[in-house]
């Protein structure tokens, strides 16, 4: 497995190395990253550093996490909705209800199971537990994901995520009447100190920015397009709740009395990125799932 290499930007300089790297993958804890630094799995400009090292502009950080335990999952023909594919990248439209990668309680029927059946040439940077996975969307969120088919593509796509140059637009139905047509939520997100199964806006959390535009109003509900500037866990769900407009159907962040629609009304509608090899900007869109469209029709 090749190393994942990132270069420090102006915005990141001065931050601790564990904080910078934890922003790449939400499942990498800062304590875990500190151990990797101590064990030499992470190097700066080819040299080992201490876990409290503060990064400098244009530092080259090489990340080579230890291999994860063997994945006990088999390829499955899940008839994935592949929107685009070439030798380097793949864009897939994930259905609502599908988990992205295997985890306790979800060893089968995941996107990774489907990808393992669809193609054998997936990147190995994330280890064998999550081959090809560059970023994730929640189980009950539908829509577009980019997948890396080799390590070169994986490193490039991760760099673009870190640099916030990937276009990610979501369609969400929220509770409440949003009077203004556009807005931005700039509020840090971290694990909720009171409910560890949730994320929340926390003063010392990770920088998180969501831009939203109202698409349609339905009295007690509003349809919005949310554009992610950052990609924190549950970011849209947390941010919209924070400003008083939680997502419809959201069992974790929504109001007690919300729609029974099997999870949050959220769809990853657009994704755009620079192709790792050709350097051409590619952008893809996926229409709302039928059940989402039918929900909107009932509101109309």
């Amino acid at each position: 497995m090749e190393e994942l290499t990132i270069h420090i930007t102006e915005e990141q300089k001065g931050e601790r190395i564990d904080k910078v790297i934890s922003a790449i993958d939400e499942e990498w804890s800062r304590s875990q990253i500190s151990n990797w630094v101590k064990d030499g799995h992470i190097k700066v400009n080819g040299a080992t550093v201490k876990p409290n090292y503060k990064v400098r502009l244009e530092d080259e950080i090489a990340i080579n996490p230890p291999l994860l335990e063997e994945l006990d999952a088999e390829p499955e023909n899940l008839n994935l909705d592949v929107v685009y594919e070439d030798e380097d990248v793949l864009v897939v439209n994930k259905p609502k209800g599908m988990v992205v990668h295997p985890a306790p309680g979800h060893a089968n029927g995941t996107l990774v199971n489907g990808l393992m059946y669809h193609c054998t040439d997936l990147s190995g940077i994330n280890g064998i537990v999550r081959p090809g996975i560059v970023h994730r969307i929640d189980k009950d969120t539908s829509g577009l994901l980019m997948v890396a088919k080799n390590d070169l593509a994986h490193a490039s796509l991760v760099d673009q995520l870190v640099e916030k140059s990937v276009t990610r637009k979501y369609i969400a139905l929220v509770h409440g009447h949003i009077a203004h047509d556009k807005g931005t939520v700039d509020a840090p997100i971290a694990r909720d100190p009171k409910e560890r199964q949730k994320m929340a806006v926390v003063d010392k959390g990770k920088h998180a920015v969501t831009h939203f535009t109202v698409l349609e109003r339905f009295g007690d509900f509003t349809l919005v397009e949310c554009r992610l500037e950052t990609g924190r866990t549950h970011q849209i769900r947390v941010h919209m709740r924070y400003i008083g407009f939680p997502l419809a159907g959201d069992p974790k962040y929504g109001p007690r009395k919300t729609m029974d629609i099997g999870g949050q009304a959220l769809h990853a509608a657009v994704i755009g990125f620079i192709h790792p090899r050709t350097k051409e900007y590619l952008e893809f869109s996926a229409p709302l799932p039928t059940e989402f469209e039918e929900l909107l029709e009932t509101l109309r």
Side-chain angles (χ1 to χ4, degrees):
M1 183 180 70
E2 296 179 7
E3 292 179 330
L4 170 61
T5 303
I6 64 172
H7 294 86
I8 298 304
T9 63
E10 180 74 30
E11 185 184 49
Q12 296 168 315
K13 71 176 184 180
E15 293 187 349
R16 281 177 54 120
I17 190 170
D18 54 353
K19 181 178 180 182
V20 171
I21 296 176
S22 67
I24 296 174
D25 192 316
E26 295 289 349
E27 292 192 358
W28 291 353
S29 69
R30 292 179 67 172
S31 60
Q32 180 183 42
I33 292 166
S34 292
N35 288 331
W36 291 352
V37 173
K38 292 175 184 175
D39 295 340
H41 293 292
I42 296 173
K43 295 183 179 180
V44 179
N45 304 321
T48 57
V49 295
K50 294 182 178 179
N52 64 353
Y53 175 80
K54 292 185 178 180
V55 299
R56 301 169 184 172
L57 184 63
E58 297 184 357
D59 270 353
E60 181 178 275
I61 301 179
I63 308 166
N64 188 10
L67 285 176
L68 301 176
E69 61 184 90
E70 188 86 18
L71 173 62
D72 185 19
E74 296 296 328
E76 295 179 64
N77 184 3
L78 301 178
N79 296 313
L80 297 179
D81 181 6
V82 177
V83 175
Y84 174 82
E85 183 177 9
D86 61 26
E87 64 179 329
D88 297 300
V89 297
L90 180 151
V91 177
V92 62
N93 184 18
K94 185 189 82 69
K96 183 172 185 173
M98 176 182 279
V99 174
V100 171
H101 57 77
H106 296 286
N108 305 105
T110 72
L111 179 62
V112 163
N113 293 107
L115 289 171
M116 290 170 65
Y117 179 90
H118 180 80
C119 56
T120 57
D121 51 344
L122 295 169
S123 71
I125 285 177
N126 263 341
I128 51 179
V129 172
R130 293 179 286 152
I133 299 301
V134 178
H135 64 126
R136 299 177 298 282
I137 55 179
D138 299 329
K139 172 188 174 185
D140 292 325
T141 299
S142 58
L144 298 174
L145 280 162
M146 52 188 184
V147 176
K149 296 181 70 176
N150 53 60
D151 290 355
L152 177 148
H154 196 125
S156 173
L157 295 176
V158 167
D159 269 346
Q160 291 179 55
L161 286 168
V162 171
E163 294 166 4
K164 304 173 187 173
S165 61
V166 176
T167 300
R168 286 176 289 175
K169 297 179 181 179
Y170 290 69
I171 305 298
L173 180 69
V174 303
H175 284 273
H177 178 89
I178 302 180
H180 38 291
D181 292 336
K182 293 184 178 182
T184 295
V185 185
D186 185 344
I189 292 176
R191 187 72 58 185
D192 190 326
K194 296 180 180 179
E195 297 183 69
R196 301 299 293 172
Q197 297 302 311
K198 290 184 177 182
M199 307 300 288
V201 170
V202 178
D203 286 343
K204 295 184 179 181
K206 294 179 181 178
H207 178 60
V209 179
T210 304
H211 306 279
F212 67 87
T213 302
V214 170
L215 301 177
E216 196 170 351
R217 297 180 176 90
F218 308 96
D220 293 335
F221 295 90
T222 304
L223 186 69
V224 295
E225 177 189 87
C226 295
R227 180 173 65 83
L228 291 181
E229 186 173 311
T230 56
R232 307 305 176 204
T233 299
H234 301 167
Q235 179 171 314
I236 292 173
R237 300 164 68 185
V238 171
H239 270 173
M240 296 310 292
R241 178 192 183 187
Y242 178 67
I243 62 171
F245 302 101
L247 268 62
D250 193 334
K252 189 180 288 284
Y253 301 101
R256 289 186 179 182
K257 293 184 179 179
T258 188
M259 296 176 168
D260 184 12
I261 53 175
Q264 62 275 1
L266 184 62
H267 175 67
V270 176
I271 195 159
F273 54 89
I274 297 171
H275 192 279
R277 194 178 300 274
T278 69
K279 307 306 178 185
E280 175 188 4
Y281 177 74
L282 303 177
E283 186 170 290
F284 306 93
S285 60
L288 289 175
T290 301
E291 60 270 23
F292 203 146
E293 286 284 12
E294 291 175 347
L295 172 60
L296 298 181
E297 283 302 316
T298 62
L299 294 174
R300 291 186 181 108

